[in-house]
Amino acid sequence: MDARFEVIDAFVDGERVDAAALKHALSEPAGRDYLVDVWLLREGVQEEMSADTSAPPAMLRARAPRTWLFAAALIACVIGGYFIGYRVSGPVGPQALVPPPITTTSPQAPAPLAAPVPTRVITVQFGTDAPASGGGE
Amino acid sequence: MTDVERFYADHRDGVFRYLRRIVGGPDAARDLTQEVFLRVSRAGMPDATEIGRRAWLFKIARNLALNHVRNGHRRPMPVELGEVVVPATQELGFAMRTAIEALPALDRDVFLLREMAGLSYGEIATACEVTVETVRSRLHQARQSLRAALGPALDVREQRGVRCTPAPRDRQDS
């Protein structure tokens, strides 16, 4: 790459340059063309930059407030929703949650069961038929 | 206003503009700009001159941008610079953007740090970890490439006239 005109770049960029080298570079028509083109390029860049509409946030700590704002909005929605619900459908609480009492008519309770009448009576007598000796003879 | 806040107010636009061109989308550039200054606030301001601080700031920005690109958040441009031939009627801004994206990485960095952020050659050298001579030659190379790519658009522009336009930081300093 031709480095003859680096001195022109440096001059345009506000750097200190060797005056003789600059004069020599600008003595050539190509050098003068290059000087003009460097300015034109810069103008183009400036225009390009002006198209940057999305500037960074104004404050350094912008992230934290954003989080807090989100949390605050969420809480406000929850509380607002509760009160709207309260107004529309009445209080929400243990009273409203208790189901209304259900009244039912229970059928007549049956009479207590009576014991059946015995058909015969068996009497057990101990010690009448048993052998006197007892045991295994 | 603390040192960091003042530093932020002075340089956020330059950092954002630079990052915008490196990473592409404005959202990513905005997030990275925030990240740059978060790192600055965590690390604390270095005990250096304003020029040294600026170079340090853009070194952080450049490293973050390189990591961002390296992690695949931005696809490399599929075009070669030679293919970026701009019709004379095309808007210079769009053509410029395309041509800048097609530059080799270091040439593009050097060019953007000079033209978008207004860093001096010494500051660019520190930010990019190269010598001032390298900055000088890369900047010249970048301008030659852009000039070749934008030739017709520059010719159209030339017919409208030219004026001496300082780089952003030069304007603020003067």
Side-chain angles (χ1 to χ4, degrees):
Chain A
M1 176 95 29
D2 186 359
R4 279 177 304 160
F5 303 138
E6 273 184 24
V7 65
I8 295 175
D9 285 294
F11 177 67
V12 168
D13 289 331
E15 301 287 322
R16 188 164 291 281
V17 298
D18 179 50
L22 180 63
K23 277 183 191 173
H24 184 259
L26 290 176
S27 70
E28 297 180 45
R32 294 193 289 274
D33 280 350
Y34 183 71
L35 174 70
V36 170
D37 283 351
V38 169
W39 285 122
L40 289 171
L41 272 175
R42 177 162 292 169
E43 238 182 271
V45 171
Q46 305 282 323
E47 280 186 12
E48 232 283 286
M49 269 167 41
S50 65
D52 278 340
T53 50
S54 306
M59 292 299 293
L60 182 58
R61 290 184 292 272
R63 270 186 187 174
R66 222 186 298 163
T67 311
W68 283 108
L69 278 177
F70 179 74
L74 190 66
I75 290 168
C77 285
V78 169
I79 293 172
Y82 174 80
F83 281 108
I84 289 169
Y86 183 87
R87 284 193 177 187
V88 170
S89 59
V92 177
Q95 290 174 345
L97 292 175
V98 173
I102 300 168
T103 308
T104 55
T105 308
S106 61
Q108 198 70 346
L113 291 174
V117 179
T119 53
R120 57 179 181 159
V121 177
I122 299 168
T123 307
V124 181
Q125 291 183 343
F126 295 98
T128 54
D129 296 334
S133 59
E137 300 241 355
Chain B
M1 191 183 262
T2 65
D3 270 3
V4 175
E5 285 170 337
R6 195 175 305 113
F7 200 53
Y8 179 71
D10 286 348
H11 299 295
R12 65 183 170 144
D13 289 342
V15 171
F16 173 74
R17 282 196 299 261
Y18 166 69
L19 289 171
R20 172 117 162 68
R21 295 312 179 293
I22 299 289
V23 302
D27 291 340
R30 205 177 300 118
D31 285 349
L32 281 179
T33 303
Q34 292 281 61
E35 185 62 34
V36 168
F37 284 97
L38 277 176
R39 292 196 179 197
V40 167
S41 66
R42 279 186 205 138
M45 298 287 280
D47 194 16
T49 60
E50 175 64 16
I51 289 172
R53 286 177 172 183
R54 225 155 55 187
W56 170 73
L57 173 70
F58 278 92
K59 190 173 176 176
I60 295 173
R62 182 170 182 264
N63 287 338
L64 277 174
L66 290 179
N67 283 341
H68 185 85
V69 173
R70 204 174 292 136
N71 290 341
H73 290 109
R74 183 176 201 254
R75 284 179 303 176
M77 287 292 291
V79 292
E80 291 294 320
L81 190 58
E83 297 171 23
V84 188
V85 178
V86 181
T89 50
Q90 198 166 0
E91 192 208 339
L92 183 61
F94 173 77
M96 176 80 73
R97 207 160 45 237
T98 313
I100 289 173
E101 286 188 359
L103 286 173
L106 184 58
D107 292 10
R108 187 185 58 219
D109 275 350
V110 167
F111 181 77
L112 291 177
L113 287 172
R114 175 62 208 147
E115 296 293 349
M116 297 267 171
L119 265 60
S120 69
Y121 285 15
E123 289 172 314
I124 297 171
T126 305
C128 296
E129 298 176 287
V130 293
T131 64
V132 171
E133 283 312 308
T134 303
V135 171
R136 190 184 288 259
S137 95
R138 292 299 186 131
L139 193 52
H140 182 63
Q141 205 167 310
R143 282 180 174 144
Q144 292 271 41
S145 302
L146 291 175
R147 192 179 176 223
L150 300 171
L154 285 181
D155 289 344
V156 169
R157 178 58 65 98
E158 193 176 332
Q159 288 164 16
R160 287 169 37 185
V162 63
R163 67 177 171 196
C164 174
T165 312
R169 179 57 48 181
D170 298 340
R171 257 188 315 199
Q172 281 181 27
D173 288 346
S174 59

